[in-house]
Amino acid sequence: MPTETTPSDPIRPTAPTAPTAPTAAVELVIFDCDGVLVDSERIAARVNVALGAELGWPLTEEEVVRRFIGRSSASIRELVAARIGAEAARVWDERFVTLHAEAVDAGLTPVDGLPEALDAITLATCVASSGSHEKMRHTLGRTGLYERFEGRIHSATEVSRGKPAPDLFLHAARRMGVDPAACVVVEDSRPGVEAARAAGMRSFGYAGGLTPAEALAGPGTVVFTDMRDLPSLIAAAGPATGTARAGTAGPRSGSAPVTRPEGGGTGGPPGPGGRRRGW
């Protein structure tokens, strides 16, 4: 059984702005895009490693994941500029757009098990991503997922602060007309789960990609590794109290155990089915 750990990352989490534990039944599922809906994080990591080697900031894939994953393109530009200068950051940003788009066209796919999970989720859904609308139209369109979320897609370009600040998730909840306490977030990055906590939302941390489970674990977060388990995990998410602890939440037979927050219960009543560069 996994134990909850505190990641030893020098990047400090954003202080929560809505620290009280959510108690409402789930009404809305907010999905991140890259690494949650589409299997694009490996592409982005590969491109960033190559650009770093070319432009003077050698990075390993692990370092790229820790520094960049989950952040908006504006935040990444700031990090790059602080390290190797504004002009190099501009070139990096432009080259990333081109190389990433080429790799997406060469063979981007949905995250394994994601289509089946979407088919089984009956609650309202939306997307809230650090990526731009242009990027999401490309990646979601390339994988046949854009129509599932069209009209319910929200980008960090619409708010003043990207993840790990709560702004994007709070914006998505407002646009969808749902109280933050009745929202759950599906994320695959540390800034993403930190943003959900800061927004007062429960989260599901997908550890089947590049981000290690220990970087996602924390209060109010269920960590899981198989996207096919998501519908049952959401159904088991009732009013939540306390902080996270190690445990299991009824994954499918043979799948890895999950780390879940204290508090059980049943999910809320079914709602209407749901459906826009950074990561």
Side-chain angles (χ1 to χ4, degrees):
M1 181 178 297
T3 57
E4 188 164 326
T5 59
T6 300
S8 56
D9 188 337
I11 301 174
R12 307 309 303 167
T14 300
T17 59
T20 57
T23 57
V26 179
E27 298 178 20
L28 174 66
V29 183
I30 303 175
F31 286 92
D32 178 40
C33 182
D34 294 294
V36 170
L37 297 177
V38 294
D39 195 14
S40 54
E41 298 291 29
R42 291 177 176 83
I43 292 173
R46 185 171 68 248
V47 170
N48 277 303
V49 167
L51 289 172
E54 176 185 334
L55 297 174
W57 188 8
L59 293 163
T60 65
E61 181 180 274
E62 180 182 2
E63 289 171 325
V64 166
V65 169
R66 179 170 56 84
R67 294 175 183 273
F68 295 167
I69 193 170
R71 298 183 182 274
S72 67
S73 57
S75 296
I76 294 171
R77 270 199 309 273
E78 290 177 2
L79 292 172
V80 174
R83 185 62 177 252
I84 57 176
E87 177 59 20
R90 182 191 66 79
V91 174
W92 187 310
D93 188 65
E94 291 180 355
R95 294 284 308 284
F96 179 91
V97 171
T98 300
L99 295 173
H100 185 273
E102 291 173 353
V104 165
D105 287 339
L108 181 66
T109 62
V111 166
D112 183 47
L114 185 278
E116 299 97 306
L118 289 180
D119 288 343
I121 293 171
T122 59
L123 297 166
T125 63
C126 70
V127 177
S129 171
S130 294
S132 68
H133 285 293
E134 180 182 7
K135 181 187 175 189
M136 286 187 277
R137 277 192 294 270
H138 186 207
T139 58
L140 294 175
R142 194 72 185 174
T143 52
L145 296 173
Y146 188 80
E147 292 75 14
R148 286 183 180 255
F149 294 100
E150 188 171 4
R152 300 188 304 284
I153 301 175
H154 313 286
S155 166
T157 60
E158 300 169 35
V159 296
S160 59
R161 300 182 300 168
K163 305 169 190 178
D167 304 31
L168 177 57
F169 291 144
L170 294 174
H171 169 70
R174 281 194 300 269
R175 291 293 300 271
M176 295 295 291
V178 178
D179 188 273
C183 300
V184 295
V185 173
V186 187
E187 265 287 353
D188 73 316
S189 73
R190 182 174 173 179
V193 293
E194 287 174 354
R197 292 171 195 143
M201 299 177 183
R202 289 160 283 176
S203 62
F204 296 91
Y206 177 62
L210 295 181
T211 303
E214 59 268 22
L216 300 171
T221 300
V222 172
V223 178
F224 70 111
T225 59
D226 191 323
M227 197 59 74
R228 297 171 187 84
D229 291 331
L230 182 61
S232 62
L233 294 172
I234 293 172
T241 58
T243 58
R245 61 174 174 83
T248 59
R252 296 177 306 107
S253 175
S255 62
V258 298
T259 301
R260 65 171 301 190
E262 289 185 357
T266 59
R275 309 275 179 221
R276 255 181 207 272
R277 165 187 151 213
W279 286 28

